[in-house]
Amino acid sequence: MEKLLEVEDLTKTFTLGSVLSRVKITAVDDISFYIKPAEIFALAGESGCGKTTTARIIMGFDHASAGTIIHGGKKEAKNEKVWFTEGIQAIFQDPFGTFNPLREVERYFFETIQNYKLAKSKQEAIARIDAKLRLVGLTYEDLAGKYPSEFSGGQLQRISIARALLTDPKLIIADEPVSMVDASLRMSIVNLFKKLRDELGVSVLYITHDLATAYYVCDRIAIMFRGDIVEMGTVEQVLMTPKHPYTQLLRASIPEADTSRRWQGEIKLSDTETDEYLRQGCRFAGRCPLVMDVCRTTTPPDVIVEGAHVSCHLYADYANS
Amino acid sequence: MEEIILKTEGLKAFYVLDVYGKQKTVKAVNDVDLAIRENEIYGIAGESGCGKTTLLKTLAAAMEPPLRIVDGRVCYHIAGADVDVSTLSQEEIRRLRLEYIAYVPQGSMSVLNPVARIKDTYRDFIESHISTQQRDEAFLLAKEHIVELGLPPKILDAYPHQLSGGMRQRVTIALATLLKPRIIIGDEPTTALDVVVQRGVVQLLKDVQRKLQNTIILVTHDMGVHANIADRIGIMYAGKIVEEGSTDKIFGDPEHPYTQYLINSLPKFGDKTPRESVPGSPPSLANLPPGCPFHPRCPHVKEICKQEMPGFTQVESNHKVACWLVGEGEHGKAA
Ligand SMILES: Nc1ncnc2c1ncn2[C@@H]1O[C@H](COP(=O)(O)OP(=O)(O)OP(=O)(O)O)[C@@H](O)[C@H]1O
Ligand SMILES: Nc1ncnc2c1ncn2[C@@H]1O[C@H](COP(=O)(O)OP(=O)(O)OP(=O)(O)O)[C@@H](O)[C@H]1O
Ligand code: SF4
Ligand SMILES: [Mg+2]
Ligand SMILES: [Mg+2]
């Protein structure tokens, strides 16, 4: 099987706190996954579980503490970031943070064009910018001479997608690209990903909290919890018949756009984020309704249950089968 | 019927810009009449860039140039009397923020000072809002409140950049609801949270609302959140509220063509059939089409739609729509 991107045993630790009360957090703990060409792969899960950290390392913005990343058959080498990340473009979570408020938005486009030598004349550059903007429902005219403050959050997000498309990337890393836009625009953005996949063979690492759009557009999905991938498989497997208790909680918490199916009962949030990170055994043990003694002491095995990867003691029997 | 706690009348709030010597007017809030009731959760949904944040800024009296109210008014109902916000002094508005209205703006990072620890941000907030004697108590309350939100008290020692996006958002919400305001205005307060934490935050907002018997005005793109907690919903398009009704009506029986597109674009589990978004692109608020602003994208457009903006038709006691298709011949402005 051809793989566009492979992440192997990736680990990232951060140190928090002052000199006296130092805690080490393993933000990403030994995770592995791959993305095929022309595939939309979702990375979902808890806020603060390490999704952005993973994306930043793939993008070369941050160093891994351990593990490797293989992209286009090449292993990452510390001093050769440029060719390594070639063909990868990113879209980030906060469109307000992507652009400097004192710079005209179009300058970002011209900068990318210059950096990648994508056009010979200003005319050609504008034509390219306009073509990419049209893919997201805007035009060059809409943006010429304007500053970020003149756009809404949703508009800025579409603008950053258009900018990412300038270099015709093979892989787009989209970190919560739809969280700031309306439902209809969400649909147009994920439909755009679909189109890029089906017509241009582009792959997308789609990091999101919107599991309904993930179900709609993705091929496979990984569910992360506190630095671990706890479940991974096709969206059908993972979202329609979730196996891991955390995935089940996640699935049950999705607010349905249906007034007859409002949330029932109350849920318990984690005591503290860092405590769960530091927990021995399964990190979900503190909140899991099905917790067993072994969960509190031993790291759960990674097993295959009905085709999906699951990391949970409940499925220990599958380990040998 | 519940008392009205906040209302707008013919409110127009525009960004008046000077572009290369030419005046440009962005009509972000364009003739909006709202009547928000005490003790309700009022949801606002609408297209990205249609003016929701701008509307909230005017409601919270948090406007900055080039945004200004060009017509109409915003009234708070305080202690039995209507108070026109434009008649208040800066100092009075600052006090109102403490006792009356809490505003959680869009983009939580902007509220938290990036170079200060969370506890310093809290301290600044408490010091600017609370008398000396009560400060210690307030700080304890703050800690309690943080724990209630599922956040570790330890984060008080952290800098914003050390927190994940979700964590920052929750800290901001904790800060804003600390002083038990009568109205909480939240602009996308659960955006960027995972659905479990989102549910926890919404649960908390709801608890706060039940306890304080106050009002929440909530803007979110997450229609699932609206379906779960809103009592009524206003749908905004191009600076106008085009439909308003009970949450059941908006989801079950939307009548405005824009609302229908919005509701139909929601994906459902177990159903991968291609879904469409609204055709065409949003109108420029600096250059609105004549008549109904939705007419260039509307599949049902009629001749009159291109010429005149329809007023509201009251289709039911709790449901009004501004569209020429609905309730023909009775387009006076419904109250
Ligand atoms: N520079 C940093 N220093 C210290 N801790 C960090 C740093 N960056 C991230 N972390 C911590 O690592 C963990 C993972 O953060 P990350 O931003 O990757 O989560 P995420 O899954 O993207 O969350 P969200 O869904 O909220 O965007 C968090 O606990 C966060 O506080
Ligand atoms: N400071 C400003 N100067 C000029 N125009 C502005 C300014 N702020 C916002 N606008 C414009 O006003 C319109 C409404 O913006 P607003 O932020 O209120 O939209 P919104 O409905 O909140 O969008 P979103 O859903 O994306 O958050 C947009 O067209 C935007 O470009
Ligand atoms: S008024 Fe006309 S153009 Fe506007 S939404 Fe109704 S039918 Fe469509
Ligand atoms: Mg993130
Ligand atoms: Mg907004």
Side-chain angles (χ1 to χ4, degrees), chain A residues 195-212:
Chain A
K195 181 167 132 190
L196 295 173
R197 173 191 64 189
D198 298 341
E199 290 172 18
L200 304 173
V202 173
S203 297
V204 182
L205 174 60
Y206 179 46
I207 298 177
T208 193
H209 291 303
D210 185 347
L211 296 165

Side-chain angles (χ1 to χ4, degrees), chain B residues 51-65:
Chain B
K52 301 178 299 298
T53 295
T54 311
L55 176 60
L56 294 190
K57 279 183 189 161
T58 61
L59 296 183
M63 282 167 299
E64 275 170 17

